[in-house]
Structures are given as structure tokens and as C-alpha cells.
Amino acid sequence: MGASPARLRVTALRALVVDYGGVLTSPLQDAMQSWCEDDEVDVALFRRVMREWLGSSYGDEAATNPVHALERGEIAIPDFERELAKRLHTHDGRPVEPEGLVARMFAGFRNGQSAQPMMAAVRTARRRGLKTALLSNSWGLDYPREQWEGAFDAVVISGEVGMRKPEPAIYLHTAALLGLEPSQCVFVDDLAPNVRGAVEVGMVGVRHISPDQTVGELEALFGVSLQRDAADEEPVTG
């Protein structure tokens, strides 16, 4: 008797690919809110600028803008900071200091308790024999790479490869680094356009809402437990 279609699908999936910000950290909106409060930035104005630059789809509607250029590594961080700062102001009309703006924006990212279940799931997936990769659109972040030791078979940072999500090429590049077909990869991201981009090249897409929901969905897809147990001696960090 042959394997059921569901079982064939489970055994075909061999890799877990995850986003960084908002998946392995606290939510992106929390970091942005914290930054706006600390710098007294008009949050409605910031959101309007992002909508103008990114387009409503975060994808093709705004083909050329400073955010896309930064994510591809085509613009230096200080140049991007000046472009963004001159479009912003504080609640009382004061200018926003451009120097160090990106670092301040993402200072609210936390790799603590709320992010640990996802990082633990990645490490457990690798111990269970799955391949793992990080795929992140970078705003020039100083990633905590020391915390990723032993977690990933491949790390793809948009600014280092000259591609960005949701461009098809960056998903295909990640799958190739793992030595797999896109259809063998599950991709997790908190932004729907990035998940759609992965699905369009053949990956299985999972929209990250909460660690519990995402881990449960991944366990169903891979057919393995991603919970740490007493045999998992490697400590979880980040």
C-alpha cells in the first residue's frame, strides 16, 4: 500500500527558513512604537512616509525607494538616515537627528522570552535532521550572530546578497544554498507579502502571528515535534 498524499507531503519538506525581525525577535510594531516614543517622533507621519516609500503591497508598487535600496545594500546607512530624518519631525515640530537613526529605530528589538520559542524550534528542527536558514531583509542591523551558533545551515541577509524579499531570486538563492528545491522548504515571516513571495516560487509559506501558533503549524507540516526535551542538551540563546 502506498503512502497517503498527506504523508508524501510531510516527507518532502526538508528545510525550515525563517525571517529575523518579528519572528526571532519581539514584534516589529513594538520596536517602532518604542522608538517613536523615545525620539518623540510623530508616529502617524512615520507610517505615512513608509506607506509612500513602500507602496501598499510592500512589493512592486514602489519599485525604487530608499527602503528597497537600503535592503539591497545599494545605499549607505547614513544616506538613508538623512533621507528619512528630513521627512520626519517630533510632535512639537523639531527635526529628528539623522545620525544613529536606524540603530535607535531597532533598539527595541528584543531576543528575550517572547522570541525564545521560535529560536528553540529552529534549533530543535536542525537537531531533528531538518535543514535551517535565516532569510532577512536588512536595514543595516547589527545582527546578534554570536547567538546563532549552530542554529543555521545558511544565513541570507538582503544587503549582503543584493536582493530583497519578496523578490523571487532571494528565495531561490536561499533554497540553493541548502541544496534543496523551493518546494522542499517551509518559509516563516511576519509580513504577508514576504510569505506570498515565497509561495510564488514554490515554498510552503507560514505567516507568523505568535510562537505557539507558528510552532504548531510547523509541527503539523514537518510531522515532528519541535519542542525541546531532556535529550536536547544544547542551550537555547537569543
Side-chain angles (χ1 to χ4, degrees):
M1 181 180 295
S4 68
R7 182 59 183 167
L8 287 173
R9 184 183 185 195
V10 167
T11 56
L13 296 174
R14 296 179 53 198
L16 172 60
V17 181
V18 297
D19 176 40
Y20 175 67
V23 175
L24 299 185
T25 72
S26 55
L28 176 62
Q29 61 267 28
D30 291 356
M32 295 300 100
Q33 183 66 40
S34 176
W35 159 66
C36 285
E37 292 173 358
D38 291 344
D39 274 22
E40 300 181 354
V41 170
D42 184 331
V43 65
L45 174 59
F46 169 67
R47 289 172 178 163
R48 185 161 66 248
V49 170
M50 289 297 100
R51 284 195 299 270
E52 292 171 356
W53 277 1
L54 292 171
S56 61
S57 72
Y58 185 69
D60 296 333
E61 292 186 12
T64 304
N65 62 63
V67 170
H68 291 193
L70 180 65
E71 289 177 340
R72 294 193 192 102
E74 298 168 347
I75 184 175
I77 294 174
D79 295 333
F80 173 82
E81 290 174 329
R82 284 189 290 270
E83 286 294 320
L84 179 56
K86 71 184 183 183
R87 289 167 170 78
L88 302 177
H89 56 70
T90 63
H91 299 295
D92 56 3
R94 290 177 288 111
V96 173
E97 171 59 45
E99 185 175 356
L101 179 56
V102 169
R104 297 198 306 276
M105 289 175 70
F106 291 97
F109 265 165
R110 298 289 182 265
N111 302 320
Q113 194 65 33
S114 65
Q116 281 188 3
M118 283 306 303
M119 195 65 200
V122 171
R123 291 183 178 277
T124 303
R126 195 161 186 252
R127 286 193 290 269
R128 301 289 193 263
L130 297 169
K131 291 193 174 183
T132 58
L134 181 87
L135 174 52
S136 174
N137 277 357
S138 172
W139 282 36
L141 295 178
D142 184 14
Y143 290 93
R145 297 175 192 250
E146 70 283 352
Q147 298 179 3
W148 302 344
E149 183 69 29
F152 299 108
D153 294 289
V155 172
V156 179
I157 307 298
S158 64
E160 297 174 359
V161 297
M163 300 174 278
R164 61 180 291 278
K165 299 174 292 185
E167 295 169 351
I170 198 166
Y171 302 104
L172 298 176
H173 175 72
T174 303
L177 288 179
L178 295 173
L180 298 173
E181 296 297 323
S183 61
Q184 296 175 292
C185 303
V186 177
F187 174 71
V188 180
D189 200 295
D190 60 320
L191 297 179
N194 292 341
V195 175
R196 286 196 296 270
V199 171
E200 286 171 1
V201 302
M203 292 184 175
V204 175
V206 173
R207 173 80 182 277
H208 178 72
I209 303 299
S210 70
D212 286 347
Q213 179 176 329
T214 298
V215 171
E217 191 165 347
L218 292 175
E219 289 181 330
L221 286 167
F222 288 116
V224 298
S225 171
L226 297 181
Q227 305 297 321
R228 295 180 72 236
D229 55 40
D232 295 328
E233 299 178 356
E234 184 178 346
V236 175
T237 60

